[in-house]
Amino acid sequence: MTSQRANGLVQMTRTVCSVASDLAENVERAVVGHARVRTASGNAWEAVCADRDRARRQEEMRRVAEKLAAARR
């Protein structure tokens, strides 16, 4: 394959991927609404909240386990 053909194929592939990405974004906005579209910052905040909740539940379980152990003594 010549270099021009390879470059053309790469450019065509990039174009198709770009169009597909834009289409998927537009479909998501149409289906879930503009305000509910997931973003990287939204995903990061959800992860932070999930980590905090998990830590809170672990601390609560640790306190319950300590109380149970103290009650057995």
Short mmCIF file of all heavy atoms in Angstrom, two decimals:
data_model
loop_
_atom_site.label_atom_id
_atom_site.label_comp_id
_atom_site.label_asym_id
_atom_site.label_seq_id
_atom_site.Cartn_x
_atom_site.Cartn_y
_atom_site.Cartn_z
N MET A 1 0.85 -1.16 0.00
CA MET A 1 0.00 0.00 0.00
C MET A 1 0.90 1.23 0.00
O MET A 1 1.86 1.32 0.76
CB MET A 1 -0.90 0.00 1.23
CG MET A 1 -1.97 1.05 1.17
SD MET A 1 -3.07 1.11 2.61
CE MET A 1 -3.91 -0.43 2.55
N THR A 2 0.58 2.19 -0.81
CA THR A 2 1.40 3.39 -0.86
C THR A 2 1.14 4.26 0.36
O THR A 2 0.15 4.11 1.05
CB THR A 2 1.09 4.21 -2.14
OG1 THR A 2 -0.24 4.69 -2.05
CG2 THR A 2 1.28 3.39 -3.39
N SER A 3 2.06 5.18 0.56
CA SER A 3 1.96 6.07 1.71
C SER A 3 0.72 6.95 1.62
O SER A 3 0.06 7.21 2.62
CB SER A 3 3.22 6.94 1.80
OG SER A 3 3.13 7.83 2.87
N GLN A 4 0.38 7.41 0.43
CA GLN A 4 -0.80 8.25 0.27
C GLN A 4 -2.07 7.48 0.59
O GLN A 4 -2.98 8.00 1.22
CB GLN A 4 -0.89 8.80 -1.16
CG GLN A 4 0.03 9.98 -1.40
CD GLN A 4 -0.17 10.54 -2.79
OE1 GLN A 4 -0.49 9.81 -3.72
NE2 GLN A 4 0.04 11.84 -2.91
N ARG A 5 -2.13 6.22 0.16
CA ARG A 5 -3.30 5.39 0.47
C ARG A 5 -3.43 5.16 1.97
O ARG A 5 -4.51 5.21 2.53
CB ARG A 5 -3.21 4.04 -0.24
CG ARG A 5 -3.72 4.05 -1.61
CD ARG A 5 -3.78 2.63 -2.10
NE ARG A 5 -4.38 2.55 -3.39
CZ ARG A 5 -4.33 1.50 -4.16
NH1 ARG A 5 -3.67 0.43 -3.75
NH2 ARG A 5 -4.92 1.50 -5.32
N ALA A 6 -2.29 4.89 2.61
CA ALA A 6 -2.30 4.65 4.05
C ALA A 6 -2.76 5.90 4.78
O ALA A 6 -3.59 5.82 5.70
CB ALA A 6 -0.92 4.23 4.53
N ASN A 7 -2.26 7.05 4.37
CA ASN A 7 -2.67 8.31 5.01
C ASN A 7 -4.15 8.56 4.78
O ASN A 7 -4.85 9.03 5.66
CB ASN A 7 -1.84 9.48 4.49
CG ASN A 7 -0.43 9.48 5.03
OD1 ASN A 7 -0.17 8.88 6.06
ND2 ASN A 7 0.47 10.15 4.34
N GLY A 8 -4.63 8.27 3.58
CA GLY A 8 -6.04 8.45 3.27
C GLY A 8 -6.91 7.54 4.10
O GLY A 8 -7.98 7.95 4.59
N LEU A 9 -6.47 6.31 4.29
CA LEU A 9 -7.22 5.34 5.10
C LEU A 9 -7.27 5.79 6.56
O LEU A 9 -8.31 5.74 7.21
CB LEU A 9 -6.60 3.95 4.99
CG LEU A 9 -7.28 2.83 5.77
CD1 LEU A 9 -8.72 2.66 5.29
CD2 LEU A 9 -6.51 1.55 5.63
N VAL A 10 -6.15 6.28 7.07
CA VAL A 10 -6.09 6.77 8.45
C VAL A 10 -7.02 7.96 8.62
O VAL A 10 -7.79 8.05 9.58
CB VAL A 10 -4.64 7.13 8.84
CG1 VAL A 10 -4.61 7.91 10.15
CG2 VAL A 10 -3.78 5.89 8.94
N GLN A 11 -6.99 8.90 7.67
CA GLN A 11 -7.83 10.08 7.75
C GLN A 11 -9.31 9.69 7.67
O GLN A 11 -10.14 10.23 8.41
CB GLN A 11 -7.49 11.07 6.63
CG GLN A 11 -8.23 12.37 6.73
CD GLN A 11 -7.96 13.11 8.03
OE1 GLN A 11 -6.82 13.14 8.51
NE2 GLN A 11 -8.98 13.69 8.62
N MET A 12 -9.63 8.74 6.82
CA MET A 12 -11.02 8.30 6.69
C MET A 12 -11.48 7.64 8.00
O MET A 12 -12.59 7.89 8.47
CB MET A 12 -11.17 7.31 5.53
CG MET A 12 -12.60 6.90 5.27
SD MET A 12 -12.79 5.83 3.83
CE MET A 12 -12.00 4.35 4.41
N THR A 13 -10.63 6.85 8.60
CA THR A 13 -10.96 6.18 9.86
C THR A 13 -11.18 7.21 10.96
O THR A 13 -12.13 7.11 11.74
CB THR A 13 -9.84 5.21 10.27
OG1 THR A 13 -9.64 4.27 9.21
CG2 THR A 13 -10.17 4.47 11.54
N ARG A 14 -10.33 8.21 11.03
CA ARG A 14 -10.49 9.28 12.03
C ARG A 14 -11.81 10.02 11.81
O ARG A 14 -12.50 10.36 12.77
CB ARG A 14 -9.33 10.26 11.95
CG ARG A 14 -8.05 9.71 12.50
CD ARG A 14 -6.95 10.73 12.40
NE ARG A 14 -5.70 10.18 12.90
CZ ARG A 14 -4.51 10.65 12.61
NH1 ARG A 14 -4.39 11.71 11.83
NH2 ARG A 14 -3.43 10.10 13.11
N THR A 15 -12.13 10.28 10.57
CA THR A 15 -13.37 11.00 10.26
C THR A 15 -14.58 10.18 10.69
O THR A 15 -15.51 10.71 11.30
CB THR A 15 -13.44 11.32 8.75
OG1 THR A 15 -12.30 12.11 8.40
CG2 THR A 15 -14.70 12.07 8.40
N VAL A 16 -14.57 8.90 10.37
CA VAL A 16 -15.69 8.03 10.75
C VAL A 16 -15.83 7.97 12.26
O VAL A 16 -16.94 8.07 12.80
CB VAL A 16 -15.51 6.61 10.15
CG1 VAL A 16 -16.50 5.63 10.74
CG2 VAL A 16 -15.65 6.66 8.63
N CYS A 17 -14.72 7.84 12.98
CA CYS A 17 -14.77 7.80 14.45
C CYS A 17 -15.29 9.11 15.01
O CYS A 17 -16.08 9.12 15.96
CB CYS A 17 -13.38 7.50 15.01
SG CYS A 17 -12.86 5.81 14.75
N SER A 18 -14.87 10.23 14.44
CA SER A 18 -15.33 11.53 14.91
C SER A 18 -16.83 11.69 14.70
O SER A 18 -17.54 12.14 15.60
CB SER A 18 -14.57 12.64 14.17
OG SER A 18 -15.06 13.90 14.55
N VAL A 19 -17.31 11.31 13.54
CA VAL A 19 -18.74 11.41 13.24
C VAL A 19 -19.53 10.48 14.16
O VAL A 19 -20.57 10.87 14.71
CB VAL A 19 -19.02 11.10 11.76
CG1 VAL A 19 -20.51 10.93 11.49
CG2 VAL A 19 -18.44 12.19 10.87
N ALA A 20 -19.04 9.28 14.39
CA ALA A 20 -19.72 8.33 15.27
C ALA A 20 -19.76 8.86 16.70
O ALA A 20 -20.78 8.74 17.39
CB ALA A 20 -19.02 6.97 15.23
N SER A 21 -18.68 9.47 17.15
CA SER A 21 -18.65 10.04 18.50
C SER A 21 -19.65 11.18 18.64
O SER A 21 -20.39 11.26 19.63
CB SER A 21 -17.23 10.55 18.79
OG SER A 21 -17.20 11.23 20.02
N ASP A 22 -19.69 12.06 17.66
CA ASP A 22 -20.67 13.16 17.69
C ASP A 22 -22.09 12.63 17.67
O ASP A 22 -22.96 13.14 18.39
CB ASP A 22 -20.45 14.09 16.50
CG ASP A 22 -19.18 14.91 16.63
OD1 ASP A 22 -18.64 15.00 17.76
OD2 ASP A 22 -18.74 15.48 15.60
N LEU A 23 -22.34 11.61 16.88
CA LEU A 23 -23.68 11.02 16.81
C LEU A 23 -24.07 10.42 18.16
O LEU A 23 -25.18 10.65 18.66
CB LEU A 23 -23.74 9.94 15.72
CG LEU A 23 -25.05 9.18 15.61
CD1 LEU A 23 -26.18 10.13 15.23
CD2 LEU A 23 -24.93 8.05 14.62
N ALA A 24 -23.15 9.69 18.78
CA ALA A 24 -23.44 9.08 20.09
C ALA A 24 -23.72 10.16 21.13
O ALA A 24 -24.64 10.02 21.94
CB ALA A 24 -22.27 8.21 20.53
N GLU A 25 -22.97 11.25 21.09
CA GLU A 25 -23.20 12.34 22.05
C GLU A 25 -24.57 12.97 21.83
O GLU A 25 -25.30 13.25 22.78
CB GLU A 25 -22.11 13.39 21.89
CG GLU A 25 -22.26 14.54 22.87
CD GLU A 25 -21.16 15.58 22.70
OE1 GLU A 25 -20.15 15.31 22.02
OE2 GLU A 25 -21.32 16.67 23.28
N ASN A 26 -24.93 13.20 20.58
CA ASN A 26 -26.23 13.79 20.28
C ASN A 26 -27.38 12.87 20.68
O ASN A 26 -28.40 13.33 21.20
CB ASN A 26 -26.33 14.16 18.81
CG ASN A 26 -25.45 15.34 18.45
OD1 ASN A 26 -25.13 16.16 19.30
ND2 ASN A 26 -25.04 15.41 17.21
N VAL A 27 -27.22 11.58 20.46
CA VAL A 27 -28.26 10.62 20.86
C VAL A 27 -28.40 10.60 22.37
O VAL A 27 -29.51 10.60 22.91
CB VAL A 27 -27.94 9.20 20.31
CG1 VAL A 27 -28.82 8.15 20.94
CG2 VAL A 27 -28.09 9.19 18.79
N GLU A 28 -27.27 10.62 23.08
CA GLU A 28 -27.33 10.64 24.55
C GLU A 28 -28.07 11.88 25.04
O GLU A 28 -28.92 11.80 25.91
CB GLU A 28 -25.92 10.61 25.14
CG GLU A 28 -25.93 10.62 26.66
CD GLU A 28 -24.54 10.61 27.27
OE1 GLU A 28 -23.57 10.99 26.58
OE2 GLU A 28 -24.43 10.23 28.44
N ARG A 29 -27.75 13.03 24.48
CA ARG A 29 -28.43 14.26 24.88
C ARG A 29 -29.92 14.18 24.60
O ARG A 29 -30.73 14.64 25.41
CB ARG A 29 -27.82 15.46 24.16
CG ARG A 29 -26.47 15.83 24.66
CD ARG A 29 -25.94 17.10 23.96
NE ARG A 29 -24.53 17.29 24.19
CZ ARG A 29 -24.00 17.72 25.31
NH1 ARG A 29 -24.77 18.01 26.33
NH2 ARG A 29 -22.70 17.87 25.44
N ALA A 30 -30.29 13.59 23.48
CA ALA A 30 -31.71 13.48 23.13
C ALA A 30 -32.45 12.51 24.05
O ALA A 30 -33.60 12.74 24.42
CB ALA A 30 -31.86 13.04 21.67
N VAL A 31 -31.77 11.45 24.45
CA VAL A 31 -32.42 10.41 25.25
C VAL A 31 -32.51 10.82 26.73
O VAL A 31 -33.58 10.71 27.34
CB VAL A 31 -31.68 9.06 25.11
CG1 VAL A 31 -32.20 8.03 26.09
CG2 VAL A 31 -31.83 8.54 23.68
N VAL A 32 -31.41 11.27 27.32
CA VAL A 32 -31.40 11.54 28.76
C VAL A 32 -31.57 13.01 29.09
O VAL A 32 -31.77 13.36 30.25
CB VAL A 32 -30.11 11.01 29.44
CG1 VAL A 32 -29.98 9.53 29.27
CG2 VAL A 32 -28.88 11.75 28.95
N GLY A 33 -31.46 13.88 28.11
CA GLY A 33 -31.58 15.30 28.36
C GLY A 33 -30.23 15.94 28.58
O GLY A 33 -29.29 15.30 29.06
N HIS A 34 -30.14 17.20 28.22
CA HIS A 34 -28.86 17.91 28.27
C HIS A 34 -28.28 17.95 29.67
O HIS A 34 -27.08 17.81 29.87
CB HIS A 34 -29.03 19.33 27.72
CG HIS A 34 -27.77 20.10 27.64
ND1 HIS A 34 -26.80 19.82 26.69
CD2 HIS A 34 -27.28 21.11 28.39
CE1 HIS A 34 -25.79 20.64 26.86
NE2 HIS A 34 -26.04 21.44 27.88
N ALA A 35 -29.11 18.14 30.67
CA ALA A 35 -28.63 18.28 32.04
C ALA A 35 -28.11 16.98 32.64
O ALA A 35 -27.36 17.00 33.61
CB ALA A 35 -29.74 18.84 32.92
N ARG A 36 -28.50 15.84 32.06
CA ARG A 36 -28.10 14.55 32.65
C ARG A 36 -27.00 13.84 31.88
O ARG A 36 -26.70 12.68 32.15
CB ARG A 36 -29.34 13.65 32.75
CG ARG A 36 -30.39 14.24 33.70
CD ARG A 36 -31.52 13.32 33.94
NE ARG A 36 -31.04 12.14 34.63
CZ ARG A 36 -31.65 10.96 34.57
NH1 ARG A 36 -32.75 10.82 33.88
NH2 ARG A 36 -31.16 9.93 35.21
N VAL A 37 -26.38 14.52 30.92
CA VAL A 37 -25.29 13.91 30.16
C VAL A 37 -24.09 13.72 31.07
O VAL A 37 -23.71 14.61 31.82
CB VAL A 37 -24.91 14.80 28.95
CG1 VAL A 37 -23.67 14.27 28.25
CG2 VAL A 37 -26.06 14.88 27.97
N ARG A 38 -23.52 12.53 31.04
CA ARG A 38 -22.38 12.22 31.90
C ARG A 38 -21.13 12.93 31.38
O ARG A 38 -20.89 12.98 30.19
CB ARG A 38 -22.16 10.72 31.96
CG ARG A 38 -23.34 10.01 32.62
CD ARG A 38 -23.11 8.53 32.76
NE ARG A 38 -22.02 8.22 33.64
CZ ARG A 38 -22.11 8.08 34.96
NH1 ARG A 38 -23.27 8.22 35.55
NH2 ARG A 38 -21.06 7.77 35.69
N THR A 39 -20.36 13.45 32.31
CA THR A 39 -19.11 14.12 31.98
C THR A 39 -17.99 13.54 32.84
O THR A 39 -18.26 12.86 33.84
CB THR A 39 -19.20 15.64 32.25
OG1 THR A 39 -19.45 15.83 33.65
CG2 THR A 39 -20.30 16.30 31.44
N ALA A 40 -16.77 13.83 32.46
CA ALA A 40 -15.63 13.34 33.25
C ALA A 40 -15.66 13.91 34.66
O ALA A 40 -15.43 13.19 35.64
CB ALA A 40 -14.32 13.70 32.56
N SER A 41 -15.97 15.21 34.79
CA SER A 41 -16.01 15.79 36.13
C SER A 41 -17.17 15.23 36.94
O SER A 41 -17.05 15.02 38.15
CB SER A 41 -16.09 17.31 36.06
OG SER A 41 -17.26 17.73 35.38
N GLY A 42 -18.29 14.97 36.28
CA GLY A 42 -19.43 14.35 36.98
C GLY A 42 -19.09 12.95 37.44
O GLY A 42 -19.43 12.55 38.57
N ASN A 43 -18.42 12.20 36.60
CA ASN A 43 -18.00 10.85 36.97
C ASN A 43 -17.02 10.89 38.14
O ASN A 43 -17.10 10.07 39.06
CB ASN A 43 -17.35 10.14 35.78
CG ASN A 43 -18.33 9.80 34.70
OD1 ASN A 43 -19.54 9.82 34.90
ND2 ASN A 43 -17.82 9.52 33.51
N ALA A 44 -16.09 11.85 38.10
CA ALA A 44 -15.11 11.97 39.19
C ALA A 44 -15.81 12.30 40.50
O ALA A 44 -15.48 11.74 41.55
CB ALA A 44 -14.07 13.03 38.85
N TRP A 45 -16.78 13.21 40.47
CA TRP A 45 -17.49 13.59 41.69
C TRP A 45 -18.27 12.40 42.24
O TRP A 45 -18.30 12.17 43.45
CB TRP A 45 -18.41 14.78 41.45
CG TRP A 45 -19.14 15.18 42.68
CD1 TRP A 45 -20.47 15.09 42.90
CD2 TRP A 45 -18.58 15.68 43.89
NE1 TRP A 45 -20.79 15.53 44.16
CE2 TRP A 45 -19.64 15.90 44.80
CE3 TRP A 45 -17.28 15.98 44.30
CZ2 TRP A 45 -19.42 16.39 46.09
CZ3 TRP A 45 -17.09 16.47 45.58
CH2 TRP A 45 -18.15 16.67 46.44
N GLU A 46 -18.91 11.63 41.36
CA GLU A 46 -19.63 10.44 41.80
C GLU A 46 -18.68 9.45 42.46
O GLU A 46 -19.03 8.83 43.47
CB GLU A 46 -20.34 9.78 40.63
CG GLU A 46 -21.58 10.53 40.16
CD GLU A 46 -22.27 9.83 39.00
OE1 GLU A 46 -22.09 8.60 38.83
OE2 GLU A 46 -22.99 10.52 38.28
N ALA A 47 -17.47 9.32 41.93
CA ALA A 47 -16.48 8.41 42.52
C ALA A 47 -16.05 8.91 43.90
O ALA A 47 -15.90 8.11 44.83
CB ALA A 47 -15.27 8.28 41.60
N VAL A 48 -15.86 10.21 44.04
CA VAL A 48 -15.49 10.78 45.34
C VAL A 48 -16.59 10.51 46.36
O VAL A 48 -16.34 10.09 47.49
CB VAL A 48 -15.22 12.30 45.22
CG1 VAL A 48 -15.16 12.97 46.59
CG2 VAL A 48 -13.94 12.55 44.45
N CYS A 49 -17.83 10.75 45.95
CA CYS A 49 -18.97 10.52 46.85
C CYS A 49 -19.07 9.05 47.24
O CYS A 49 -19.33 8.72 48.40
CB CYS A 49 -20.27 10.99 46.21
SG CYS A 49 -20.37 12.78 46.04
N ALA A 50 -18.86 8.16 46.28
CA ALA A 50 -18.92 6.73 46.56
C ALA A 50 -17.81 6.32 47.53
O ALA A 50 -18.04 5.52 48.45
CB ALA A 50 -18.82 5.93 45.26
N ASP A 51 -16.60 6.87 47.35
CA ASP A 51 -15.49 6.57 48.26
C ASP A 51 -15.80 7.05 49.68
O ASP A 51 -15.53 6.35 50.66
CB ASP A 51 -14.20 7.21 47.77
CG ASP A 51 -13.61 6.50 46.56
OD1 ASP A 51 -14.03 5.36 46.28
OD2 ASP A 51 -12.73 7.10 45.91
N ARG A 52 -16.36 8.24 49.79
CA ARG A 52 -16.70 8.78 51.11
C ARG A 52 -17.77 7.92 51.78
O ARG A 52 -17.69 7.63 52.98
CB ARG A 52 -17.20 10.21 50.99
CG ARG A 52 -16.10 11.19 50.67
CD ARG A 52 -16.66 12.59 50.50
NE ARG A 52 -15.60 13.54 50.20
CZ ARG A 52 -15.82 14.80 49.87
NH1 ARG A 52 -17.05 15.26 49.80
NH2 ARG A 52 -14.80 15.59 49.61
N ASP A 53 -18.76 7.51 51.01
CA ASP A 53 -19.82 6.68 51.57
C ASP A 53 -19.28 5.33 52.01
O ASP A 53 -19.63 4.83 53.08
CB ASP A 53 -20.94 6.51 50.52
CG ASP A 53 -22.15 5.82 51.09
OD1 ASP A 53 -22.62 6.23 52.17
OD2 ASP A 53 -22.63 4.85 50.45
N ARG A 54 -18.40 4.75 51.20
CA ARG A 54 -17.79 3.46 51.55
C ARG A 54 -16.97 3.59 52.84
O ARG A 54 -17.06 2.75 53.73
CB ARG A 54 -16.92 2.97 50.39
CG ARG A 54 -16.38 1.59 50.55
CD ARG A 54 -15.67 1.04 49.30
NE ARG A 54 -15.15 2.02 48.37
CZ ARG A 54 -15.74 2.40 47.24
NH1 ARG A 54 -16.91 1.90 46.91
NH2 ARG A 54 -15.18 3.28 46.42
N ALA A 55 -16.20 4.67 52.96
CA ALA A 55 -15.39 4.89 54.16
C ALA A 55 -16.29 5.08 55.39
O ALA A 55 -15.99 4.57 56.47
CB ALA A 55 -14.49 6.11 53.97
N ARG A 56 -17.39 5.80 55.22
CA ARG A 56 -18.32 6.01 56.33
C ARG A 56 -18.92 4.68 56.79
O ARG A 56 -18.99 4.40 57.98
CB ARG A 56 -19.45 6.96 55.90
CG ARG A 56 -20.46 7.26 57.01
CD ARG A 56 -21.69 7.99 56.47
NE ARG A 56 -22.36 7.31 55.39
CZ ARG A 56 -23.15 6.23 55.53
NH1 ARG A 56 -23.34 5.70 56.72
NH2 ARG A 56 -23.73 5.67 54.49
N ARG A 57 -19.31 3.85 55.83
CA ARG A 57 -19.89 2.54 56.19
C ARG A 57 -18.86 1.64 56.84
O ARG A 57 -19.17 0.91 57.79
CB ARG A 57 -20.49 1.87 54.95
CG ARG A 57 -21.82 2.50 54.55
CD ARG A 57 -22.48 1.79 53.39
NE ARG A 57 -21.86 2.30 52.16
CZ ARG A 57 -21.31 1.55 51.22
NH1 ARG A 57 -21.31 0.25 51.33
NH2 ARG A 57 -20.77 2.09 50.14
N GLN A 58 -17.61 1.67 56.38
CA GLN A 58 -16.55 0.86 57.00
C GLN A 58 -16.30 1.31 58.43
O GLN A 58 -16.13 0.48 59.33
CB GLN A 58 -15.26 0.96 56.18
CG GLN A 58 -15.31 0.18 54.90
CD GLN A 58 -14.05 0.36 54.05
OE1 GLN A 58 -13.28 1.30 54.26
NE2 GLN A 58 -13.85 -0.53 53.10
N GLU A 59 -16.28 2.62 58.64
CA GLU A 59 -16.07 3.14 60.00
C GLU A 59 -17.24 2.73 60.90
O GLU A 59 -17.03 2.35 62.05
CB GLU A 59 -15.93 4.67 59.97
CG GLU A 59 -15.74 5.31 61.32
CD GLU A 59 -14.49 4.85 62.04
OE1 GLU A 59 -13.53 4.38 61.38
OE2 GLU A 59 -14.46 4.97 63.27
N GLU A 60 -18.43 2.78 60.39
CA GLU A 60 -19.60 2.38 61.16
C GLU A 60 -19.51 0.90 61.54
O GLU A 60 -19.78 0.52 62.69
CB GLU A 60 -20.87 2.65 60.35
CG GLU A 60 -22.15 2.39 61.08
CD GLU A 60 -23.37 2.72 60.23
OE1 GLU A 60 -23.30 3.68 59.44
OE2 GLU A 60 -24.37 2.00 60.36
N MET A 61 -19.11 0.07 60.59
CA MET A 61 -18.96 -1.37 60.88
C MET A 61 -17.85 -1.62 61.89
O MET A 61 -17.98 -2.49 62.75
CB MET A 61 -18.70 -2.15 59.60
CG MET A 61 -19.90 -2.27 58.69
SD MET A 61 -21.31 -3.04 59.51
CE MET A 61 -20.71 -4.67 59.77
N ARG A 62 -16.76 -0.84 61.81
CA ARG A 62 -15.67 -0.99 62.77
C ARG A 62 -16.17 -0.67 64.18
O ARG A 62 -15.89 -1.40 65.13
CB ARG A 62 -14.51 -0.06 62.40
CG ARG A 62 -13.26 -0.26 63.26
CD ARG A 62 -12.24 0.83 63.05
NE ARG A 62 -12.74 2.15 63.41
CZ ARG A 62 -12.92 2.59 64.66
NH1 ARG A 62 -12.67 1.81 65.68
NH2 ARG A 62 -13.35 3.82 64.89
N ARG A 63 -16.97 0.40 64.32
CA ARG A 63 -17.51 0.76 65.64
C ARG A 63 -18.46 -0.31 66.16
O ARG A 63 -18.43 -0.64 67.35
CB ARG A 63 -18.23 2.11 65.57
CG ARG A 63 -17.25 3.27 65.64
CD ARG A 63 -17.98 4.59 65.72
NE ARG A 63 -17.92 5.16 64.37
CZ ARG A 63 -18.93 5.70 63.72
NH1 ARG A 63 -20.12 5.79 64.28
NH2 ARG A 63 -18.77 6.19 62.52
N VAL A 64 -19.28 -0.88 65.29
CA VAL A 64 -20.20 -1.95 65.71
C VAL A 64 -19.41 -3.15 66.18
O VAL A 64 -19.71 -3.76 67.21
CB VAL A 64 -21.16 -2.32 64.56
CG1 VAL A 64 -21.91 -3.60 64.85
CG2 VAL A 64 -22.13 -1.18 64.29
N ALA A 65 -18.36 -3.52 65.42
CA ALA A 65 -17.53 -4.66 65.80
C ALA A 65 -16.84 -4.42 67.15
O ALA A 65 -16.75 -5.33 67.98
CB ALA A 65 -16.49 -4.93 64.71
N GLU A 66 -16.37 -3.20 67.40
CA GLU A 66 -15.75 -2.88 68.68
C GLU A 66 -16.75 -3.01 69.82
O GLU A 66 -16.42 -3.54 70.89
CB GLU A 66 -15.18 -1.45 68.67
CG GLU A 66 -13.88 -1.32 67.92
CD GLU A 66 -13.36 0.11 67.91
OE1 GLU A 66 -14.06 1.02 68.40
OE2 GLU A 66 -12.24 0.31 67.41
N LYS A 67 -17.97 -2.53 69.61
CA LYS A 67 -19.00 -2.64 70.65
C LYS A 67 -19.33 -4.10 70.94
O LYS A 67 -19.49 -4.49 72.10
CB LYS A 67 -20.26 -1.90 70.22
CG LYS A 67 -20.15 -0.41 70.32
CD LYS A 67 -21.46 0.27 69.90
CE LYS A 67 -21.34 1.76 69.93
NZ LYS A 67 -22.58 2.42 69.49
N LEU A 68 -19.42 -4.91 69.90
CA LEU A 68 -19.72 -6.33 70.09
C LEU A 68 -18.58 -7.04 70.84
O LEU A 68 -18.81 -7.86 71.71
CB LEU A 68 -19.98 -7.02 68.75
CG LEU A 68 -21.29 -6.65 68.07
CD1 LEU A 68 -21.35 -7.25 66.66
CD2 LEU A 68 -22.47 -7.13 68.89
N ALA A 69 -17.35 -6.69 70.46
CA ALA A 69 -16.20 -7.30 71.14
C ALA A 69 -16.15 -6.87 72.60
O ALA A 69 -15.86 -7.69 73.48
CB ALA A 69 -14.91 -6.89 70.41
N ALA A 70 -16.46 -5.61 72.88
CA ALA A 70 -16.46 -5.14 74.27
C ALA A 70 -17.57 -5.80 75.07
O ALA A 70 -17.38 -6.12 76.24
CB ALA A 70 -16.62 -3.62 74.29
N ALA A 71 -18.69 -6.05 74.44
CA ALA A 71 -19.82 -6.69 75.13
C ALA A 71 -19.52 -8.15 75.48
O ALA A 71 -20.02 -8.68 76.46
CB ALA A 71 -21.08 -6.61 74.27
N ARG A 72 -18.67 -8.80 74.69
CA ARG A 72 -18.32 -10.22 74.97
C ARG A 72 -17.34 -10.33 76.10
O ARG A 72 -17.21 -11.40 76.69
CB ARG A 72 -17.75 -10.86 73.72
CG ARG A 72 -18.77 -11.00 72.60
CD ARG A 72 -18.22 -11.81 71.50
NE ARG A 72 -18.43 -13.21 71.86
CZ ARG A 72 -18.10 -14.23 71.12
NH1 ARG A 72 -17.52 -14.05 69.97
NH2 ARG A 72 -18.35 -15.46 71.51
N ARG A 73 -16.62 -9.28 76.44
CA ARG A 73 -15.59 -9.35 77.50
C ARG A 73 -16.17 -9.38 78.87
O ARG A 73 -17.13 -9.06 79.32
CB ARG A 73 -14.65 -8.17 77.39
CG ARG A 73 -13.80 -8.26 76.15
CD ARG A 73 -12.80 -7.11 76.12
NE ARG A 73 -12.42 -6.90 74.73
CZ ARG A 73 -12.18 -5.75 74.20
NH1 ARG A 73 -12.23 -4.65 74.92
NH2 ARG A 73 -11.82 -5.65 72.96
#
